[in-house]
Amino acid sequence: MLRTAVAISLAPTLCAQTYIVDASNGPGTHFTDLPAAVSSVPDGASLRVRPGQYSQFVITAKSLSILGDSEASVRINAQSGSLITVRALAPAQQVVIRDVGSVQTYGPGAQIVVEDCAGAVTFDTCTIAHSVSFFGYTAQPALQVRRSTNVHLRRIHGASGHPDASVADACVEFDSCQFAGRDQTVAGAEGYAGLAVSHCRVSLRNCTIRGGAGGSDLYTSFGPGGPGLDAVDSTLDLAPGNSLTGGSGGIDPAGFGCYTIMASGGPGLRMRGSQARHANATIRGGDGPCAVCLTECTVQGPALNLTASSLAAVPSAPDLQYLGDVRQGGYVDLQLTAAPNELALLVLGFRPVCVSLPTIVDFGGILVSPELPFGPFVTDVHGAVSYRLALPPDLVLDRAVFAQYVTFPGAVLPGQGSNSVMFEARS
C-alpha cells in the first residue's frame, strides 16, 4: 500500500470568548445554570460546563458552543417540555453541544429538538433517555429535527435502552448513533420506528437502529413490530457499519419463562417513495410468530419493505477518513507521497450530503455524497506533489469533510480505489 499524507489548514479565526458554568459555583464561575448563561453570553461564545445538574435551555439565533466536562457528569433536567432546543440559526451561525447527558423528562416534550436552522448544528457524545408517557401524555420521539439543513449527530445514545428519533424536512448526518423505537402501548398497533425520516436527505455511518415491539392486549390483539429505519420521500446514504433491525411482533405470555410472539416482525428498513444506497449494511427483520421458552426466537419478519423505492448496493471502499470541520475561509493543503510519476485523485465529501452541486459522482465505490473529485495530480520524480485547494466560494461550508486518495500507476483511471489516505488536521 502506498503511503499518502494530507494536511488540512484553516484560515485564521478570532478566539471565542469562554465562560465557565458551574452548578457548585466553584472558582472562576461565571454562571451557575445554563439558561442564564445561554441568554447572556455574546454570539459566538463558548461555555465550559463543569459537573453538575442543570436546567433545560433554548438557543435561538445565536452561535454558541456548550462543552461539558463529560456526558456522565453534566446532566440536563426538565420537569416538562424539551431539555435542549436549538432553533432559528442563520446560515453563518453554528451551535456545537458536546459531552452532555440528560435525565428523564416528564410530559410531552422531546429530549433534543433542532428546528428551523439554516446554520450548522452539531451534537457530539450526548446521552439522552427514552421519552415516556406520563399522566396521559403521549410520548414523542426523544430526538426531533425539523426544517434544518445542516445537522450533525455523532455518538448519540441512551442512558437506559436507546432513544428514538424523528427527522422531517431536513439534512442530517448520523455517525455512531444508537436508536431504538418505543414499544407500542396500543393493542394491535405497530411498534414505533427507531428512526423515522420524512422529506429528508440523510447519511448514516456506524449506526445501530432497532424498531419497537408491536402492541398487545395479551389475549386477542397483536400488532406488528416497528421498522428499524422508516423513510418517506427521502434519500439515504448508508455508509459502512450500519445495522438496521425490525422490532418484534406483539407478545402473548404463555406462562412462567415462556411467551408467544403472535404478530409479524417489523422490517429492518422500510422505504416509501425513497431511494438509498448502502455499503455492507446489515438489515434484518424483527422476531415474528413463534413460541419461546427461555430460548432465542429465530423466526424473523422481512428485512426490507420497499414501496415505490430503490435500494442499491455499492462496492466496499477503504475506510473514509474524517478530516474535521472546514469553515468559511478555509482551504486544503494537499501533500501526497507516492510512487514517482504516479497519478493521484483526491475525493472530498461533505456531510450531510445536501451541498448544492450539479452532479453526484461515484468513483471506485467511495461512498461520500456528493463527491468532489480533484486532480488527477502527478507526482514528481521523487514521488511527491503538493497543492493548495481553495474551497469554492459558493460552497456551503461548516460541514464535516471526508477525503480519500486514489493512487495508481499509468494514465488510465481504474474502477476501484487502491488505498485511503492518512490525515493530519492543523489550524
Side-chain angles (χ1 to χ4, degrees):
M1 178 178 289
L2 299 176
R3 184 161 188 255
T4 57
V6 168
I8 284 289
S9 298
L10 306 182
T13 58
L14 296 176
C15 294
Q17 293 176 272
T18 300
Y19 300 84
I20 303 300
V21 184
D22 186 353
S24 300
N25 199 21
T29 298
H30 298 97
F31 301 94
T32 58
D33 206 356
L34 280 167
V38 167
S39 63
S40 301
V41 299
D43 186 88
S46 292
L47 301 177
R48 302 292 304 191
V49 187
R50 292 172 178 167
Q53 187 161 298
Y54 299 90
S55 302
Q56 65 203 86
F57 60 90
V58 178
I59 301 173
T60 302
K62 176 186 285 189
S63 289
L64 191 63
S65 294
I66 297 179
L67 310 176
D69 181 75
S70 76
E71 60 176 326
S73 63
V74 175
R75 313 295 286 178
I76 312 300
N77 185 27
Q79 295 303 314
S80 64
S82 302
L83 274 81
I84 302 173
T85 301
V86 181
R87 64 189 182 198
L89 296 188
Q93 294 175 318
Q94 60 180 326
V95 165
V96 176
I97 298 176
R98 181 179 300 133
D99 288 321
V100 170
S102 73
V103 294
Q104 187 67 58
T105 58
Y106 298 101
Q111 305 280 296
I112 293 175
V113 175
V114 178
E115 58 186 8
D116 300 309
C117 290
V121 179
T122 298
F123 281 84
D124 191 339
T125 314
C126 295
T127 303
I128 59 178
H130 261 298
S131 294
V132 296
S133 298
F134 189 73
F135 287 159
Y137 287 119
T138 300
Q140 298 182 16
L143 185 149
Q144 300 177 25
V145 180
R146 303 185 287 258
R147 302 177 300 277
S148 298
T149 59
N150 191 355
V151 180
H152 309 265
L153 301 171
R154 301 171 186 152
R155 291 172 288 276
I156 306 298
H157 55 94
S160 58
H162 302 309
D164 53 346
S166 173
V167 181
D169 301 300
C171 184
V172 184
E173 169 211 8
F174 294 93
D175 190 346
S176 303
C177 295
Q178 296 176 332
F179 299 114
R182 286 162 285 141
D183 294 341
Q184 181 59 255
T185 58
V186 177
E190 181 182 82
Y192 292 94
L195 171 60
V197 301
S198 175
H199 303 94
C200 292
R201 185 71 188 259
V202 170
S203 61
L204 297 97
R205 182 172 185 263
N206 292 331
C207 291
T208 300
I209 304 173
R210 186 181 183 90
S216 173
D217 64 2
L218 306 183
Y219 295 104
T220 60
S221 184
F222 308 97
L229 172 56
D230 189 18
V232 178
D233 295 330
S234 297
T235 300
L236 311 177
D237 290 290
L238 305 177
N242 293 297
S243 176
L244 312 177
T245 306
S248 62
I251 295 175
D252 180 24
F256 181 77
C258 296
Y259 61 86
T260 301
I261 296 180
M262 302 293 290
S264 63
L269 173 62
R270 182 168 69 190
M271 298 197 302
R272 291 164 284 176
S274 300
Q275 57 182 344
R277 62 178 191 165
H278 74 93
N280 297 328
T282 300
I283 305 174
R284 297 185 294 263
D287 291 337
C290 64
V292 179
C293 291
L294 302 178
T295 60
E296 182 179 359
C297 180
T298 58
V299 179
Q300 294 185 330
L304 300 172
N305 184 332
L306 307 182
T307 302
S309 301
S310 63
L311 175 65
V314 298
S316 298
D319 288 340
L320 296 173
Q321 302 294 318
Y322 177 54
L323 289 179
D325 297 317
V326 179
R327 298 183 172 88
Q328 290 183 335
Y331 55 84
V332 181
D333 274 339
L334 316 178
Q335 297 175 336
L336 168 67
T337 302
N341 303 312
E342 187 171 38
L343 293 177
L345 180 71
L346 174 71
V347 178
L348 291 180
F350 297 80
R351 298 288 179 90
V353 291
C354 297
V355 181
S356 178
L357 291 172
T359 59
I360 298 177
V361 300
D362 180 21
F363 181 84
I366 301 172
L367 190 63
V368 184
S369 302
E371 294 140 339
L372 297 178
F374 295 101
F377 306 102
V378 182
T379 60
D380 59 22
V381 295
H382 303 292
V385 63
S386 61
Y387 182 78
R388 171 161 291 186
L389 171 66
L391 297 180
D394 57 346
L395 190 66
V396 179
L397 299 177
D398 293 318
R399 297 179 186 271
V401 179
F402 291 79
Q404 188 171 51
Y405 257 115
V406 184
T407 60
F408 45 88
V412 179
L413 296 178
Q416 181 68 35
S418 60
N419 65 299
S420 59
V421 66
M422 295 180 296
F423 300 102
E424 178 186 2
R426 299 186 305 194
S427 62

